[in-house]
Structure formats: C-alpha cells, structure tokens
Amino acid sequence: MDNSQIENTITEIRKRSGAIAAFNKDKISNAIYRALAATSKADRGVADQLATNVVNKLVEQGFTITRVPTVEDIQDIVESTLIDSGNSDIAKAYIVYRHERRKLRDQKMNVLNLNTLDPVSKKFDLNCLRVLASRYLFRNSKNEIIESPTQMFERVAILVGIGDILYDSQVFDKSGNTKQDIDEAESYLEKLDAFDYKFKVGNYFFNKWHFRSLINHYVTLANKGQMKVSFKDLLTLLAAKKLESYADKITEYFEMMTAQDFLPNSPTMMNAGGRLGQLSACFVLGMEDGMEQIMKSTSDAALIFKSGGGVGINYSNLREEGDIVASTSGVASGPVSFMNIINTVTEVVKQGGKRRGANMGIIEAWHPDVEKFITNKTEPGVLENFNISVGIWEDFWNALVNTEDGNYVLRSPRNKKPVKEINAHQLIDLIALSAWKSAEPGLIFFDQINKYNVFAKARQAPLRATNPCGEQSLYPYESCNLGSINLVNLVKRQADGTYEFDWQRYEETIRKATRFLDNIIDVNTYPVPEINVASKESRRIGLGVMGVADLLYRLRIPYNSKEGYELQSKLSEALTYYSTEESVALAKSRGEFPLCSKTEYPEGKIPIAGYYEKPKESHSYEWDPLIEKIQKHGIRNVLTTTVAPTGTLSMIADCSNGMEPAFALVFEKRVTVGRFFYSNKIFEEALKENGLYTDEILAKIADNYGSLKGIEEIPQWMQDVFVTAMDIHWADHLMAQAVWQDWIGNAIAKTINMPYDVTAEDVKSAYLLAHELGLKGMTVYRDGSRHKQVLHMTSENAKKIFNVSPSEYMTTFVLSKITNPYIKSQVNASLALKVHDAEITTKTQKHEEISEDRLCPTCKNNLVFVEGCSICIECGYSGCTSG
C-alpha cells in the first residue's frame, strides 16, 4: 500500500487525553529510530521502512478514518512489528523506551498536579518542570498547583500583549492633545471581578488582573493626552474584534518563551496576570540621614520584598558610628546597624510569598565606617540576606595606583569634613583578604559606571547604587525589567553535522525581546508610587543572554580563546546595537522616554564604552548612523542591555547560566543504590559520538572537579573546547566579563572563580586588572571560601590533577596594554607566580562540616555560587531576584 492510500485510510489518532490529533507516520518512524539508536543501529531508512510496516498492520487490523487508533494501539503494533521482522533487540529497546516515556509522563503529571500533560509539559524536560512547579505556577489556598505551564506562559504573554494594544493607531496619538475622562476609566478598578474573562483578543481571554493592567496602562497614557478614545470606546473596540490582530503578537511572545528562546526575569513569570502584578526584579532605594527617611526606605523595601523584588541601597549618606546626633545629643549607631534592620525585614517578609528577598548593601570607600563594613560578613550568620560591596571612585583609585604614600582621607557623610586618614593600600588589602575569606565584599567601580552615564545630566547626580547582584545600576526608586535570550538555541545545523550561529534569528529575537521588556514597563503594577514615576521617566530595560558556554560547546570554540573572546564580543555588540535600534523604532511610534531631551543623547553621546574605546575598524556594526537616528527621533529606553544572573531561568531554558562557563561537565548525586551522574547534554552527545561514554569516564570526570583536564582518555580537542569555570584562569574570567562589558549598557553578573590556594595578593591583583579592563564591578569566589563550603560538590573523592594558566590572549593584553607601573608590577607578579603542584587535593575541605547557610533553604541540598549569586541545582532556588 503506498503512502497516499495509507493517508486516506488513517487520518487521525486518539491521544491519551481523549483528544483527536492528525495522524503522522513520521512520529512512528522517529520513535523506531530512537530505539535503533539505543542499540547502536541508527538507520533512518530502516526506521522509515519499519514505520510503513506498522501502518500496513494498522490497516490490516481494521483501523480506518472512522475507526481511529489510539496511541497505545499504535505502540502495541510497533512492538509486534519489530518482533515479527526479527528485530527482537530493537523491540526490546523500544519497549524500554516506551516504559521510560510512560514513567516520565507519570513523573511530570505528579510534579505538575495534572491528569494529562499540556503541550509545554510534553516539550520541557522534567527538571525544567520541577522548577516551574516549585516557583512559578499559581497555587490555591491549599498550596496545590492550579495552572499548567502552558497556562502560565499564556498569562505572561497576554499581559505583554496588552502593552502593544494601547499603541494601536485606532486608540493612540503620540502628540498628546486629547483629553479623556480618567475618572471613568479608574471606576473600572472597583469592579474587576465583573470583568474576569469577559474580554479577549483572538482566543486569549483577559483575567481580572490583565484587565486591571489594561485600565492602568490606559490611565497613564490618557494622563499624557495620548488616548484618542474613551475607556468605554476601547472596550467597544475589543468587543467588536477591531483589535484582533494583537492575538498574533501574544502568540509571538508565548512562542518565544515556550521555545525556550527568551525568558523574562522571575517576578514577571511569577506575577504577570496575578494579584501582585509586580514584574520587575531590580530596585534601588535611597537612604538619607534622618530617621523619617530611614523608616520610609525600610517600609518601601518591605513592600518591594512582598512583591517579589530585591533592593539595592547605598548607606554612605548615613553618618558614621559615634558621630553626634544633634536632635538627641546622642551618638549615631552607624550604617551597619541600619543594614541589620533591613536584614530583619527581609527575613520576615518573603518575596512574593515565595522566597526571602535579596539586598545589595553599599558603602563608599571614603566613609569612616568602611573598615567595619568590610570585615562585618567574614563570620557566618551576619547580614545573611545581603550581598555587600565597596563603592570606589576616582579619588581612591588615584591614591592607590598613582601616589607613593597611598594616603586617603575618610570624610564625614554629614559635612564632608575629614575624619581620619588611612592608607589606600591597606584598605584594598583588607577588602582582598575579606573577599579571600568569605567572597565578600564585592567591588563596584562607580567611576567606570558613570564614565558614559548619559542619564547623569537629567538626574543631576551620578549613579551610586546597584541591584542585589550588582549588574544593574539604578537611581533611587528606579526599577528595571530584565530578560535573557538563550543563545544556544540560535544555531543552525549544517549538512556536515556541525553548527553555525544564526545571526538573523538573533537579530529577530533581540527586537522582539526589546519590545517585550518595554511593554512590561507599561503593564507593571509597581509596589510604591515613586517607583512607578521613576521607572517610567527612564524606561530602563535590561536585555541579556544565557547559554553562552553551551553555544561555544556547540560551535566547538574554547571559551577562553581568541576566537571565543571575539565571538562573545560580537554577540555583545549585536545585542546592544539591535536593542538600541529597536528602542529608536519604538520611540518613533510611541515616543521617547520622558527625560530623554534632558540627557546627553541629543548631544550624540551613548552609554556604550566599546563605541569610544574600541577602534572603529573593529566594530561589527555601523554605530554613527544609529546615533544620528537617536538624535533625530529620540530613544524609548535610557539603557537596553544588562547581563543578569539566570540561574533559575537557565534551568527552565535548559542551558548554561548567563555568560558564565559551565561550573562542571559532570557532577554526581549519591543515592541509596550508589552514584548517579548528571552531565552536560552537549558534552554527553560528544562523548557518545566519539565512543567515550561510560560510567567509568563520568566517575573520573566527577572526581576531577567536573573537568576533563588531565584525563588521558579524553582527546585534547575535547579538553580544549569543553572547559569549566575551574579550568579557566581567574584572569581569563575577568577578560570574558570585559569583552561583554565593552558593549553592554549596564553591567554583567559574573563570578571570578579562583582555586582555593590563591592568595589575598592574587585577589588584589584581580581588582587592579578588573579596573584596567573597564569592568563596572566584580565578585571573586575562591573555592572553599564561603564558610568552609566548596564551589560545587562534584564528588566526595574530588582531586584536581591539573593546573591553569592565563590564556595567550590575556597575557598579551597584560604585557601590551597595562602601562601604570604599580598595576603592572602587581599583576605581572601575580600571574607569573601561578605555579602549582601537579596534584591539589581538597579533601580536607570536603570533609569539613557544611554550614547551614550554604544549604538550600527549600530542599537542603548544596548551593552553588555562580554569577555572584547562590543557586540550587536541585530545585531552582536562587538567592537573586532576576533569575
């Protein structure tokens, strides 16, 4: 029987849910092919022939257009066909495959509290679904999951689509000359329940929280005179299906997320289309030196934590401990004591009811309490809900690297008068020693952050604070919406089986994601009125990436090679170029951000270091015409790019974190029946392709810190390509951060990994090198530094049998580009001294007790420290808010 006769005979199948779907012979062929592959007999021609035999047998057994076979009917016949054709080994593999699929389906349904799997659940792997279930899917008062992953992504996409609807030319006029009855629109906020699932676009219904965002978005635009129709007329247009085309936009946003090509920051997925409605991850609050202002900031922080966000606060305006308080004739308790208040509030108020908040506490180097601040977190149990960083300005840096004596004056926050003189070298040594011991504090280079800060002119002040993980600088009461593109998904397979990056798809995804994040600003429900105002004045967004390490694995390019750095640089430049270009296009149709004319943009300046500091001939894109477009049309968002932590998002997208190297290729999980190994999927494919995949090899890699270095059975090209965080010298971690930072408007979340035997001098050298490379901030993590806890528990038996040294690319930079004598001598000495013994064992650290603060608070498994943030690779818990 030929294919056309078969197709006329059987056109449909009945799925497990009872639903009818189109019959597709290719699905049978694919399942058989997988069974063949499991027996090392992968042959597409044989699979196709056996699939044809299966269909013939279905017809013989009386299945027709009217008698529709079930999935189980087809699978039973596949088994009998394989046995009848003498392929008993393939039949056995197929039966095992079928059993495993059934088991996996059952596990997924159990995790998601579903009776049948929705389309997203079928596509996403079990670990992705576990993360969605633990943190993102809505639950009822009994804590039972009440939505499927498909429904979750739909509620997010609908809300983002509402952002587009109100800019339709039928209802929107950019010129702002129309007056509407705003009270009428706001009156609908009192009757949300009556409009639950009453309006829709295409097949997408608006729940009452979507409807609330529609009202608030309308009111914001109507207040600016930009709504051409009344709110009732808008509803009439929706009911009359005059805005149906926006269903396609919603589908576009939905598919971008469910294809795992792009995901917004965690609060967006948690709260979009829900009661809280707060969609941003990053906030900064001011902290002025008065009790009323301090309590206001504390109260605002509590509201932000409750809504699912994290807060950064610079405490440098608070007078030092022991200073006179005029109103009471008492003495000030100092900024650290007020950090403890915020720490306690964080403990009590869970983020969005789901996790504790995260904080960034900053004190600038000139503050008299800076030394106490630096050493405060070296012991466990202190300020556990804080990341802390020291803010560095030009004056401190100059004292450190350009003066012989290094004298530096600490000044009163109250009147800026000198309080005492210290030595800049001693202070940086203290910071380095503390970071060596406990991975804190980090450094924030405010001089670099403000070097190309086009917004400072509008705010009449420099940036002085960042979000909890340090990658997003913000002014007080600003918020930022972050999102990340999964780069490893954007590859094309060539005829020879190799992969190449799809630059056109990258551009398309950047443009869609930029619009997505801009819409979030309009449909967001902000926790504090001042945040609503400040966020809309600047319309700052932070589009970033994830999956960089996996992309380089796919392309067979070593992360820390010249080719690797050049590719990462181009990826970074493209991200900011196309997001900026899309932001200009949005400004043309919707209007520039309100403070644009008061910034340096009209003067032709942009907030991108690479444009100014990289030779023009090395640029991959034409920036000058883009700058002219900004001068002509304005720009929609003050900044567009940030590389944020993506720990949990990466688990949902099934890719590596942010722009970090993989922390291990193989790590073990000990269960009662023995050792069980997880391995990177792309690496696993490579092992199988090269006939190297065995439990013995996996155990060897796990026992080698999850690294391939020095393992004789692994070919050299694999050792070069499949590098891990511990394979890469700390100087190259800095270089990787720098090549991204050149073109990113905001900053980068990155951990500078160091082996446990580095010295505090090496940490200091890393600071010097970071500033030379133009970084805006940095976090070092010495393996074993966090209260006796190692970076990743790859194996109980882990031994490191390899050394790492700086790449030639990094060495060339140091030798040719660093001219300051002090920095040159420090960095050269540090890099030259990196000679290790052939074998370094960390058993002594492994067997020490793991302190409770390094265990996941949700599932009590070990936390890992990447992107300046603690995450759990078991359940997806993250100490950061964005990912």
Side-chain angles (χ1 to χ4, degrees):
M1 189 180 294
D2 64 32
N3 281 343
S4 62
Q5 289 175 296
I6 291 167
E7 285 164 13
N8 290 331
T9 308
I10 303 171
T11 58
E12 296 174 326
I13 64 162
R14 189 178 300 280
K15 298 166 81 174
R16 288 179 186 82
S17 63
I20 297 294
F23 177 80
N24 185 346
K25 179 188 158 191
D26 289 342
K27 288 190 174 181
I28 299 172
S29 180
N30 289 338
I32 294 172
Y33 181 77
R34 282 190 287 268
L36 288 164
T39 57
S40 303
K41 294 180 180 176
D43 187 316
R44 179 56 70 183
V46 171
D48 288 344
Q49 181 56 53
L50 289 168
T52 300
N53 297 347
V54 168
V55 177
N56 289 336
K57 209 164 193 177
L58 282 166
V59 174
E60 287 168 17
Q61 293 192 10
F63 292 106
T64 62
I65 291 173
T66 53
R67 186 183 169 217
V68 177
T70 66
V71 170
E72 284 79 7
D73 289 330
I74 294 171
Q75 290 181 337
D76 289 342
I77 289 174
V78 169
E79 286 181 19
S80 63
T81 302
L82 289 171
I83 291 166
D84 292 349
S85 62
N87 290 293
S88 56
D89 56 337
I90 300 168
K92 183 180 174 185
Y94 180 79
I95 291 165
V96 169
Y97 165 76
R98 187 178 173 185
H99 171 74
E100 290 298 323
R101 295 276 293 180
R102 188 183 301 117
K103 191 167 115 187
L104 182 61
R105 274 196 309 275
D106 291 343
Q107 286 176 310
K108 286 182 174 183
M109 288 189 288
N110 184 48
V111 164
L112 299 169
N113 193 30
L114 293 173
N115 294 321
T116 58
L117 294 181
D118 62 297
V120 174
S121 306
K122 287 178 181 174
K123 178 176 179 289
F124 280 27
D125 79 13
L126 184 60
N127 285 339
C128 301
L129 298 177
R130 282 193 178 120
V131 175
L132 289 179
S134 69
R135 296 186 64 194
Y136 299 98
L137 302 181
F138 280 174
R139 293 172 179 262
N140 62 18
S141 57
K142 297 177 184 175
N143 203 35
E144 297 164 334
I145 294 170
I146 55 170
E147 72 175 347
S148 69
T150 299
Q151 290 167 327
M152 184 210 81
F153 285 116
E154 277 185 355
R155 68 170 159 81
V156 177
I158 290 166
L159 189 68
V160 179
I162 286 170
D164 286 313
I165 289 170
L166 290 189
Y167 292 110
D168 185 275
S169 58
Q170 296 172 76
V171 300
F172 176 75
D173 176 15
K174 190 174 80 166
S175 63
N177 298 317
T178 313
K179 191 167 174 26
Q180 296 294 349
D181 185 347
I182 287 162
D183 289 342
E184 176 193 84
E186 287 182 331
S187 71
Y188 281 84
L189 291 170
E190 305 301 316
K191 46 190 177 184
L192 291 178
D193 287 341
F195 290 91
D196 201 19
Y197 295 101
K198 290 290 163 54
F199 287 91
K200 65 170 186 164
V201 171
N203 293 319
Y204 297 108
F205 281 88
F206 300 173
N207 69 25
K208 63 182 177 182
W209 308 118
H210 292 130
F211 191 68
R212 177 183 64 183
S213 287
L214 180 74
I215 299 165
N216 289 334
H217 186 14
Y218 176 92
V219 167
T220 300
L221 293 175
N223 273 322
K224 295 198 285 185
Q226 294 177 324
M227 286 288 92
K228 284 159 61 171
V229 300
S230 70
F231 189 70
K232 282 185 177 175
D233 287 342
L234 170 65
L235 297 184
T236 304
L237 287 169
L238 281 167
K241 300 190 174 182
K242 299 289 187 186
L243 297 164
E244 289 292 275
S245 62
Y246 290 95
D248 293 339
K249 277 281 177 203
I250 293 170
T251 300
E252 190 176 86
Y253 297 136
F254 173 78
E255 289 177 349
M256 192 162 62
M257 292 184 286
T258 56
Q260 298 165 298
D261 288 345
F262 166 83
L263 291 172
N265 52 214
S266 286
T268 298
M269 293 195 291
M270 287 175 178
N271 297 333
R275 181 182 59 81
L276 282 171
Q278 196 292 101
L279 312 174
S280 304
C282 308
F283 298 85
V284 157
L285 294 173
M287 184 67 82
E288 294 306 314
D289 192 36
M291 192 54 66
E292 192 177 319
Q293 297 97 317
I294 290 168
M295 288 301 108
K296 163 76 170 141
S297 293
T298 304
S299 169
D300 290 344
L303 292 171
I304 290 168
F305 298 145
K306 184 182 175 186
S307 75
V311 177
I313 298 176
N314 186 329
Y315 291 84
S316 303
N317 290 348
L318 300 186
R319 70 193 71 185
E320 70 272 23
E321 185 178 356
D323 193 24
I324 297 297
V325 180
S327 58
T328 62
S329 299
V331 293
S333 55
V336 173
S337 63
F338 287 106
M339 289 175 70
N340 280 310
I341 294 174
I342 298 279
N343 191 64
T344 304
V345 170
T346 314
E347 197 73 41
V348 176
V349 183
K350 284 188 174 180
Q351 283 183 322
K354 297 187 181 182
R355 56 182 180 170
R356 287 187 311 202
N359 296 281
M360 171 64 83
I362 299 166
I363 284 186
E364 294 170 29
W366 53 263
H367 194 284
D369 286 355
V370 67
E371 291 155 301
K372 179 182 178 182
F373 173 78
I374 290 164
T375 56
N376 201 42
K377 276 198 76 177
T378 49
E379 291 302 315
V382 178
L383 295 176
E384 286 189 334
N385 301 307
F386 269 88
N387 292 329
I388 64 167
S389 289
V390 175
I392 301 291
W393 293 93
E394 294 92 335
D395 61 341
F396 176 82
W397 204 253
N398 186 54
L400 180 68
V401 306
N402 292 325
T403 64
E404 284 189 30
D405 55 16
N407 289 344
Y408 183 66
V409 176
L410 304 186
R411 299 181 179 276
S412 166
R414 186 163 44 88
N415 54 25
K416 298 296 181 281
K417 288 183 178 175
V419 173
K420 67 173 179 177
E421 191 171 83
I422 64 165
N423 185 283
H425 295 283
Q426 288 177 357
L427 190 67
I428 203 81
D429 286 343
L430 187 65
I431 295 169
L433 182 61
S434 179
W436 181 89
K437 284 181 181 174
S438 64
E440 293 199 82
L443 281 193
I444 297 177
F445 299 119
F446 284 128
D447 54 343
Q448 305 279 26
I449 285 171
N450 287 288
K451 193 173 184 182
Y452 303 107
N453 178 9
V454 295
F455 202 31
K457 185 179 177 183
R459 288 293 185 201
Q460 297 186 315
L463 282 159
R464 289 183 60 203
T466 77
N467 71 323
C469 287
E471 80 283 357
Q472 184 64 66
S473 307
L474 298 166
Y475 283 94
Y477 286 112
E478 256 196 299
S479 68
C480 192
N481 317 305
L482 310 175
S484 300
I485 294 170
N486 179 3
L487 295 180
V488 71
N489 265 21
L490 306 180
V491 291
K492 296 185 288 193
R493 188 165 185 141
Q494 307 291 92
D496 63 359
T498 60
Y499 290 86
E500 72 169 359
F501 189 70
D502 190 336
W503 291 96
Q504 185 179 337
R505 259 192 79 202
Y506 188 35
E507 179 188 342
E508 290 165 3
T509 308
I510 292 167
R511 293 187 186 282
K512 288 179 199 171
T514 300
R515 189 173 290 260
F516 182 116
L517 293 176
D518 184 66
N519 285 357
I520 291 287
I521 297 165
D522 293 322
V523 295
N524 207 339
T525 303
Y526 295 94
V528 178
E530 294 94 329
I531 295 172
N532 184 28
V533 173
S535 301
K536 288 175 179 174
E537 281 180 341
S538 62
R539 302 192 69 87
R540 190 186 298 261
I541 61 172
L543 181 59
V545 295
M546 53 186 164
V548 171
D550 282 347
L551 171 68
L552 291 165
Y553 289 165
R554 270 270 177 256
L555 300 177
R556 301 293 193 254
I557 297 172
Y559 184 97
N560 51 337
S561 64
K562 183 173 187 288
E563 191 182 0
Y565 290 135
E566 286 173 352
L567 176 63
Q568 291 182 73
S569 179
K570 188 179 177 186
L571 288 165
S572 178
E573 185 180 354
L575 186 73
T576 297
Y577 181 85
Y578 289 124
S579 61
T580 301
E581 194 170 67
E582 188 65 19
S583 186
V584 174
L586 286 168
K588 282 169 73 174
S589 60
R590 300 180 179 185
E592 64 188 21
F593 70 90
L595 293 180
C596 187
S597 63
K598 296 180 180 178
T599 69
E600 291 181 332
Y601 275 121
E603 299 164 28
K605 301 206 176 141
I606 59 171
I608 311 299
Y611 171 73
Y612 299 101
E613 297 179 7
K614 306 279 282 183
K616 276 208 173 166
E617 60 273 15
S618 72
H619 297 182
S620 298
Y621 298 92
E622 294 294 327
W623 286 90
D624 290 330
L626 180 53
I627 290 169
E628 287 169 18
K629 281 188 198 170
I630 295 171
Q631 289 180 283
K632 184 176 180 183
H633 304 291
I635 188 167
R636 181 72 171 163
N637 315 96
V638 65
L639 271 84
T640 63
T641 51
T642 306
V643 179
T646 63
T648 314
L649 299 186
S650 292
M651 293 175 80
I652 298 169
D654 201 15
C655 67
S656 55
N657 295 337
M659 50 76 54
E660 295 274 24
F663 71 82
L665 289 166
V666 179
F667 55 95
E668 73 169 336
K669 183 175 181 181
R670 289 195 178 240
V671 289
T672 49
V673 294
R675 301 173 77 185
F676 176 74
F677 298 103
Y678 290 115
S679 52
N680 177 281
K681 288 182 179 177
I682 300 168
F683 172 59
E684 192 175 303
E685 281 176 30
L687 282 180
K688 287 176 177 174
E689 284 168 13
N690 288 272
L692 293 168
Y693 187 79
T694 64
D695 280 348
E696 291 74 24
I697 282 287
L698 296 183
K700 263 196 174 182
I701 298 166
D703 290 345
N704 191 41
Y705 261 64
S707 165
L708 307 184
K709 289 283 185 274
I711 297 178
E712 291 176 7
E713 296 93 326
I714 303 290
Q716 191 59 47
W717 74 265
M718 268 196 191
Q719 294 190 34
D720 293 340
V721 165
F722 290 96
V723 290
T724 70
M726 296 302 277
D727 299 339
I728 297 169
H729 191 275
W730 58 260
D732 281 289
H733 280 282
L734 289 168
M735 178 57 78
Q737 185 173 341
V739 297
W740 282 92
Q741 187 61 81
D742 281 336
W743 296 106
I744 296 296
N746 293 297
I748 318 285
K750 170 90 181 76
T751 301
I752 307 305
N753 296 100
M754 293 182 152
Y756 84 95
D757 59 332
V758 295
T759 65
E761 280 294 310
D762 294 327
V763 176
K764 179 179 170 182
S765 293
Y767 295 154
L768 297 169
L769 189 49
H771 194 273
E772 284 291 298
L773 286 163
L775 301 191
K776 294 183 177 181
M778 65 170 292
T779 303
V780 301
Y781 185 85
R782 182 180 67 86
D783 195 16
S785 62
R786 280 240 166 155
H787 314 317
K788 306 174 184 175
Q789 166 66 5
V790 294
L791 170 69
H792 47 264
M793 302 294 281
T794 48
S795 166
E796 293 290 325
N797 313 313
K799 285 184 181 180
K800 184 172 155 193
I801 56 169
F802 57 91
N803 325 313
V804 294
S805 53
S807 68
E808 188 180 336
Y809 190 90
M810 183 72 241
T811 306
T812 302
F813 174 87
V814 170
L815 293 175
S816 63
K817 297 287 171 63
I818 296 181
T819 55
N820 178 283
Y822 172 73
I823 298 174
K824 198 176 184 74
S825 66
Q826 291 281 319
V827 172
N828 283 1
S830 190
L831 297 186
L833 288 171
K834 299 286 28 87
V835 179
H836 298 297
D837 295 331
E839 184 175 298
I840 300 163
T841 176
T842 57
K843 277 189 175 179
T844 52
Q845 291 172 339
K846 299 272 182 178
H847 289 296
E848 288 179 359
E849 186 179 346
I850 299 164
S851 73
E852 276 295 310
D853 70 319
R854 305 318 309 149
L855 294 177
C856 173
T858 304
C859 68
K860 300 304 178 191
N861 277 292
N862 298 315
L863 294 176
V864 299
F865 192 74
V866 285
E867 305 171 301
C869 183
S870 297
I871 66 160
C872 175
I873 53 175
E874 291 289 329
C875 74
Y877 164 85
S878 172
C880 289
T881 50
S882 56

